[in-house]
Amino acid sequence: MIILAPHPSRTLNAIGLLVVCGILIAAYAFQFALDELPCPLCLLQRVALVGVGYGLCLNLIYGAKPHHYGIMLLSAIYGGSVSVRQILLHIVPGTGSYGSPVLGLHYYTWAGICFFLVILGTAVMLLFEGQYKKALVDKPEHGRFGGQPLAKLAFFLMLFLAAANVVTTFLECGPGICDDPPTDYKLIEELKSDG
Amino acid sequence: MQGKIENRCIPTLSLRSLRSWNWGPNMISLLFALLTIAIVLAWRDHWRLSYLVFAVTLAMSIYWLDFHATTPLSIKL
């Protein structure tokens, strides 16, 4: 059996979480730079990414456990299902697409690839049994996040991005069902029309 | 004086219109809010509650996927 100590496992999880944060930041960059509002299915894919991030956060706080990886797998399978739904929606020629292509592929296709890679990466991480052994668990003096600044940085960046998505999604959709496709930030327009 | 009263009324009007909206669990932003709460709960060592919030979020997400997978398409096939 392959042995991986908790410390390098936590570092790998922190790097994974930073990658997830990077994808969410890239989504924001395209949203604001190209003024392209995310559709409801795109938002659900972001929810799934935050779900994957939640599983990684648990690994950073409590150390790696199989059920944390399970949470990641559930979120990634959910996200992959939403991506596949959106890919299939536009797979028939003449049905158009949503958003600008990035390196020839649309956002939802990239999201599908990302979720597939998350499933693959999580399955590989589950092979390393040593990370779960109590004898190898971090010492108490290490404190939270195993005393790793990288893990702390990744965790708080994820927390910030999750909270930012609450705000931007609420601005876009308001308290009701999101428009499909969205045309503007519904809540801002509503407040403007009142003003 | 009157002008001042009108200025004060602007935020009140906005809040009134917000109250008239259909607030409820049918918000995608609620899913992000629940996940944020789950992360904070995990950080504060309330891991059982955190898992529960995640489970509720996942169930609501599945509802939303079903909703968007079964609503009539806006594109012509």
Side-chain angles (χ1 to χ4, degrees), chain A residues 144-190:
Chain A
R144 280 172 167 257
F145 303 105
Q148 288 188 19
L150 185 71
K152 207 179 262 186
L153 170 82
F155 175 84
F156 284 107
L157 186 58
M158 185 70 245
L159 185 58
F160 170 76
L161 285 168
N165 270 292
V166 178
V167 177
T168 53
T169 308
F170 189 64
L171 286 176
E172 185 192 325
C173 303
I177 295 169
C178 292
D179 289 341
D180 192 10
T183 48
D184 49 28
Y185 289 93
K186 212 164 150 183
L187 194 71
I188 294 174
E189 289 305 311
E190 183 77 15

Side-chain angles (χ1 to χ4, degrees), chain A residues 6-7 10-11 14 17 56-63 138-139 142-156 159, chain B residues 39 42-44:
Chain A
H7 193 79
R10 191 169 258 141
T11 307
L17 187 55
L56 286 162
C57 283
L58 290 173
N59 275 341
L60 296 185
I61 299 168
Y62 302 114
D138 307 306
K139 291 166 187 167
H142 284 156
R144 280 172 167 257
F145 303 105
Q148 288 188 19
L150 185 71
K152 207 179 262 186
L153 170 82
F155 175 84
F156 284 107
L159 185 58
Chain B
I39 294 171
W43 177 41
R44 305 307 300 170

Side-chain angles (χ1 to χ4, degrees), chain A residues 3-18:
Chain A
I3 299 294
L4 178 73
H7 193 79
S9 159
R10 191 169 258 141
T11 307
L12 284 173
N13 275 287
I15 293 167
L17 187 55
L18 285 173

Side-chain angles (χ1 to χ4, degrees), chain A residues 8-185:
Chain A
S9 159
R10 191 169 258 141
T11 307
L12 284 173
N13 275 287
I15 293 167
L17 187 55
L18 285 173
V19 171
V20 171
C21 290
I23 296 167
L24 286 169
I25 291 169
Y28 264 139
F30 287 117
Q31 179 179 341
F32 295 121
L34 304 176
D35 201 23
E36 286 179 351
L37 290 168
C39 58
L41 286 173
C42 312
L43 287 170
L44 289 179
Q45 285 160 52
R46 288 190 193 185
V47 167
L49 268 177
V50 176
V52 170
Y54 168 69
L56 286 162
C57 283
L58 290 173
N59 275 341
L60 296 185
I61 299 168
Y62 302 114
K65 285 178 185 166
H67 61 271
H68 298 162
Y69 288 122
I71 284 172
M72 287 171 63
L73 283 175
L74 283 172
S75 302
I77 289 168
Y78 172 76
S81 309
V82 180
S83 304
V84 167
R85 156 72 183 167
Q86 201 168 5
I87 292 166
L88 292 177
L89 203 58
H90 299 293
I91 204 163
V92 177
T95 51
S97 58
Y98 190 84
S100 307
V102 179
L103 301 172
L105 298 178
H106 288 278
Y107 304 143
Y108 39 88
T109 312
W110 280 116
I113 293 168
C114 288
F115 287 120
F116 173 77
L117 290 175
V118 169
I119 292 168
L120 186 69
T122 308
V124 170
M125 283 302 285
L126 278 165
L127 295 173
F128 298 94
E129 214 171 69
Q131 59 187 323
Y132 315 124
K133 284 188 179 166
K134 280 201 171 178
L136 294 170
V137 168
D138 307 306
K139 291 166 187 167
E141 61 264 28
H142 284 156
R144 280 172 167 257
F145 303 105
Q148 288 188 19
L150 185 71
K152 207 179 262 186
L153 170 82
F155 175 84
F156 284 107
L157 186 58
M158 185 70 245
L159 185 58
F160 170 76
L161 285 168
N165 270 292
V166 178
V167 177
T168 53
T169 308
F170 189 64
L171 286 176
E172 185 192 325
C173 303
I177 295 169
C178 292
D179 289 341
D180 192 10
T183 48
D184 49 28
Y185 289 93

